[in-house]
Amino acid sequence: MTLSPLFKPDPALDLVLERFIEVPPELVWEAWTKPEHISQWFTPKPWIVAECEIDLRPGGIFRTLMQSPDGNESNDLRGCYLEIVPNQRLVWTDALLAGFRPSENPFITAIITMEAEGDGTRYCSMARHRDESVRKQHEEMGFYDGWGTVSEQLAAYVKTLPATSR
Amino acid sequence: MTLSPLFKPDPALDLVLERFIEVPPELVWEAWTKPEHISQWFTPKPWIVAECEIDLRPGGIFRTLMQSPDGNESNDLRGCYLEIVPNQRLVWTDALLAGFRPSENPFITAIITMEAEGDGTRYCSMARHRDESVRKQHEEMGFYDGWGTVSEQLAAYVKTLPATSR
């Protein structure tokens, strides 16, 4: 995909995960934009997505509450959407909340791109950070393992969707 | 103007300045979106806008370098555009830089709205903050005085534009 230079990854500041998914972009888009789908793949199992809010427009909320199996640990991700280009690009950040309000704890902007490739999708997820130390921190927190597991779950989940959704 | 609830001001967190400007919205929009115009009104005189960069698309840079008359003091505002609805709404933030990258020093999101009223424009500029303490800090830094002066300069400047621009 020809990305605008604005969205080209900077190796010093960004972390990128790319893979092929064996369903068309429309279905990957669907899985990314409805709470009932997000809850099936968005956090590495056995953690669960206990709550998910999606208001799919620029400035609209994107929130997922992830919980450990025993419910003792949780991660409440709050952010908003920045760009919505159906079946092509979805951008959200936790640096802004609903209505574009600056947040308390900015960490990443996520740029998700998908492009048709044969019968499937070339899928790319990028985490953008403010400086090298935050990128490094994210890498050490297990970006490749975590986002890798989650994209594996996504790729497996979209294949199980009923034919009516495909 | 009927603003989406997402963009309704929250008195505890937002600061708002509203006024009538005696030219149509198209001209106010013009003044907000071209560097050669920004440099004429965007900082309270005798400070000057020494540099201005505008890349008018979501994720595109908005930067102004403001300087004191002797050049000893400056304020380098760096951010990006979030929403661009010509002649109606312009949203930018310093919480994100070009390409939506989280910034080092997030402070505000600015939501600028304009609506035709008679022969002129009902103009509203809102500064959105992450919490009450930042709103209070901004108010004490002189929001009403600063943004008031600047909107006065804007209102005066747009009336001097040559007929070809109007």
Side-chain angles (χ1 to χ4, degrees):
Chain A
M1 183 176 295
T2 314
L3 267 183
S4 150
L6 271 185
F7 299 112
K8 286 235 168 88
D10 177 340
L13 300 173
D14 301 326
L15 292 167
V16 177
L17 199 137
E18 191 182 325
R19 64 166 291 154
F20 180 76
I21 295 182
E22 293 162 322
V23 302
E26 290 70 16
L27 210 51
V28 180
W29 181 263
E30 177 91 1
W32 254 106
T33 54
K34 293 202 173 147
E36 64 269 31
H37 295 320
I38 289 279
S39 65
Q40 298 301 310
W41 64 268
F42 193 73
T43 193
K45 292 171 184 169
W47 276 50
I48 59 159
V49 175
E51 295 173 28
C52 176
E53 284 177 82
I54 287 180
D55 179 10
L56 198 63
R57 53 180 164 161
I61 193 171
F62 176 51
R63 174 180 175 242
T64 61
L65 176 66
M66 295 164 275
Q67 280 181 344
S68 63
D70 59 12
N72 288 337
E73 288 175 275
S74 64
N75 181 8
D76 192 359
L77 169 70
R78 288 166 183 266
C80 81
Y81 293 103
L82 298 171
E83 268 209 309
I84 295 148
V85 186
N87 311 319
Q88 291 181 44
R89 185 166 71 238
L90 187 66
V91 185
W92 55 266
T93 189
D94 65 6
L96 300 171
L97 305 177
F100 297 127
R101 180 177 304 288
S103 74
E104 297 282 342
N105 297 304
F107 184 53
I108 60 161
T109 292
I111 300 177
I112 311 299
T113 52
M114 43 203 89
E115 185 181 26
E117 188 177 301
D119 293 334
T121 300
R122 179 56 49 186
Y123 174 81
C124 182
S125 53
M126 169 163 59
R128 206 143 241 211
H129 311 88
R130 68 173 175 271
D131 57 31
E132 291 192 34
S133 74
V134 180
R135 184 198 57 72
K136 188 156 175 266
Q137 179 196 344
H138 197 184
E139 193 172 349
E140 288 168 358
M141 280 164 61
F143 167 84
Y144 291 108
D145 195 28
W147 287 41
T149 299
V150 156
S151 76
E152 193 67 44
Q153 291 178 179
L154 168 65
Y157 174 66
V158 286
K159 287 198 280 184
T160 71
L161 287 176
T164 48
S165 298
R166 311 175 68 158
Chain B
M1 184 177 294
T2 313
L3 268 184
S4 149
L6 273 184
F7 300 112
K8 286 236 168 89
D10 176 340
L13 300 173
D14 302 326
L15 292 167
V16 177
L17 198 136
E18 191 181 326
R19 62 167 293 155
F20 181 76
I21 296 182
E22 294 161 321
V23 303
E26 289 72 16
L27 209 51
V28 180
W29 180 264
E30 177 91 2
W32 253 107
T33 54
K34 295 203 171 145
E36 64 268 31
H37 296 319
I38 289 279
S39 64
Q40 298 301 310
W41 64 268
F42 193 72
T43 193
K45 292 170 182 166
W47 276 51
I48 60 159
V49 175
E51 294 172 29
C52 176
E53 283 177 82
I54 287 180
D55 179 11
L56 198 63
R57 53 181 164 163
I61 193 171
F62 176 51
R63 173 181 176 242
T64 61
L65 176 65
M66 295 164 274
Q67 280 181 343
S68 62
D70 58 13
N72 288 337
E73 288 176 274
S74 66
N75 181 8
D76 192 0
L77 169 71
R78 288 167 183 266
C80 81
Y81 292 102
L82 298 170
E83 269 209 310
I84 295 149
V85 186
N87 311 319
Q88 292 181 42
R89 184 167 72 236
L90 187 66
V91 185
W92 54 268
T93 188
D94 64 7
L96 299 171
L97 305 178
F100 297 129
R101 182 177 304 289
S103 73
E104 297 282 341
N105 296 303
F107 183 54
I108 61 161
T109 292
I111 300 176
I112 312 299
T113 52
M114 43 204 89
E115 186 181 25
E117 188 178 300
D119 293 334
T121 300
R122 178 57 48 188
Y123 173 81
C124 183
S125 54
M126 170 163 60
R128 210 146 237 207
H129 312 88
R130 69 173 176 271
D131 58 30
E132 291 192 33
S133 73
V134 181
R135 183 198 57 72
K136 188 157 174 264
Q137 178 196 343
H138 197 184
E139 192 173 351
E140 288 169 359
M141 281 164 61
F143 167 84
Y144 291 108
D145 195 26
W147 288 41
T149 298
V150 156
S151 76
E152 192 67 44
Q153 291 178 177
L154 168 65
Y157 174 66
V158 287
K159 285 198 281 182
T160 71
L161 286 176
T164 49
S165 298
R166 309 177 71 160

